[in-house]
Amino acid sequence: DVHKATRRVTRYIRFLKLHYSSLAPIVSEAASLGWYVPRVSRQAEPPLISIIIEIASCLEEKLINKSEQFSDEELKSLFLLNNSYFMLTELKYPFFPSAKVHMAALTCKLEAYMERYIDVSWAPVLSCLFDSTCTPVCLGRNYYSSPLSKFEYEFQKIYNTQKQWKVPHPVLRMKLRKAITDKIIPDYATYIEDNKVITPDFSPLKLQVMLQELFEG
C-alpha cells in the first residue's frame, strides 16, 4: 500500500503549495541572506521550488531504502510503484522548469518500476511455454508433462498470491492489469493456436478475465 510517510510528506508539500504566495518571499529572502542554499532550482526560479523538490527527492530515496526490507522482488517493485504513482498524482508543482524536470524523472522511474515488476513476476510464467527446461518437471507431488501444464500451474500460483495484493489507485491498477495482459495473452493465444490445443483448461479469454481481478487486496 502507500506508506504513511508518503502521505504525510505529500500533504506537507501541498501545504507549501497552498501558501506559496506567502512563503515564497520568505524563503527567497533567506536564500539571499545565505541562510538557505537552493540545491535544485535554477537561478531565475524561487528557492521555495528547490525546497519542495528536495523534500520530494528525499522521500523517493527513503522509499527506495524502505523497499529493500522486502525479500520478494515483486513486492519491492509493487511498493515502489504504489508510492511513486501516489507522489506523481499528488505533487502538482507550480510550473517551473526544475519542477517539470523532476516530474519527468519521477515518471521515468515509475515506468522502470513497472517494467521491473513485469519482468520478475510474469515474464518467468510466460517463459514456461517456450523454455524446454520446463518440461518434464517433477517437483514433489507436482509433475508437468508439457510446457502448457507448467504454465498453467505457475499462472495459477502467482494469480492466487497477487490477487491478495493491493494497488489502491484505480488508474494504476488498470495500467498494471493491462501491462500484464499485454505481456501474457498474445503469446499464450499464439501458443494455443500453433500447438492446436482444442480445449485448454484456461482459454485466453478466461485468463484475461482473471487478470482483471488482480490487486483488489
Side-chain angles (χ1 to χ4, degrees):
D1 206 344
V2 178
H3 196 276
K4 61 183 179 182
T6 306
R7 297 184 183 278
R8 288 174 180 173
V9 173
T10 52
R11 189 160 56 241
Y12 177 65
I13 291 176
R14 286 200 303 271
F15 172 84
L16 295 178
K17 288 163 51 184
L18 180 64
H19 299 279
Y20 184 86
S21 59
S22 301
L23 292 172
I26 298 173
V27 178
S28 294
E29 183 178 1
S32 67
L33 295 173
W35 296 344
Y36 166 64
V37 179
R39 301 177 185 176
V40 178
S41 64
R42 304 181 183 187
Q43 188 172 4
E45 296 176 358
L48 182 55
I49 293 297
S50 181
I51 286 182
I52 292 174
I53 296 174
E54 287 172 36
I55 294 171
S57 298
C58 181
L59 174 59
E60 289 178 54
E61 293 177 9
K62 297 296 184 182
L63 290 170
I64 291 173
N65 293 336
K66 183 72 175 177
S67 73
E68 295 300 324
Q69 296 181 10
F70 294 103
S71 58
D72 190 310
E73 287 293 328
E74 293 97 325
L75 277 175
K76 182 187 297 185
S77 299
L78 200 63
F79 172 79
L80 291 171
L81 268 170
N82 275 332
N83 285 273
S84 298
Y85 196 82
F86 184 85
M87 291 179 63
L88 193 66
T89 55
E90 293 294 314
L91 299 181
K92 295 180 173 59
Y93 293 131
F95 185 80
F96 288 99
S98 295
K100 186 176 180 181
V101 168
H102 180 252
M103 292 301 282
L106 184 57
T107 299
C108 290
K109 291 178 184 177
L110 185 73
E111 293 172 353
Y113 295 146
M114 182 174 294
E115 185 176 344
R116 174 63 178 163
Y117 164 76
I118 295 295
D119 285 344
V120 298
S121 283
W122 296 95
V125 176
L126 184 63
S127 69
C128 292
L129 293 175
F130 308 104
D131 187 354
S132 59
T133 62
C134 285
T135 179
V137 174
C138 186
L139 182 62
R141 292 180 297 175
N142 299 314
Y143 179 79
Y144 314 112
S145 59
S146 70
L148 181 59
S149 60
K150 172 68 172 176
F151 169 86
E152 291 169 348
Y153 175 81
E154 294 296 334
F155 181 93
Q156 188 70 63
K157 184 172 68 172
I158 194 171
Y159 167 80
N160 289 341
T161 299
Q162 299 199 12
K163 188 178 179 182
Q164 308 304 316
W165 293 358
K166 186 175 182 64
V167 175
H169 200 289
V171 176
L172 178 59
R173 193 162 60 239
M174 179 184 67
K175 288 177 179 290
L176 271 172
R177 289 169 175 171
K178 184 179 186 304
I180 298 168
T181 299
D182 291 346
K183 180 71 175 180
I184 296 292
I185 300 303
D187 284 349
Y188 179 69
T190 298
Y191 180 91
I192 293 296
E193 183 179 351
D194 290 348
N195 290 273
K196 298 180 173 56
V197 182
I198 300 175
T199 55
D201 291 339
F202 296 95
S203 68
L205 179 58
K206 182 177 179 179
L207 291 189
Q208 196 165 349
V209 171
M210 292 173 68
L211 291 174
Q212 300 310 305
E213 299 171 349
L214 293 174
F215 311 124
E216 293 290 347

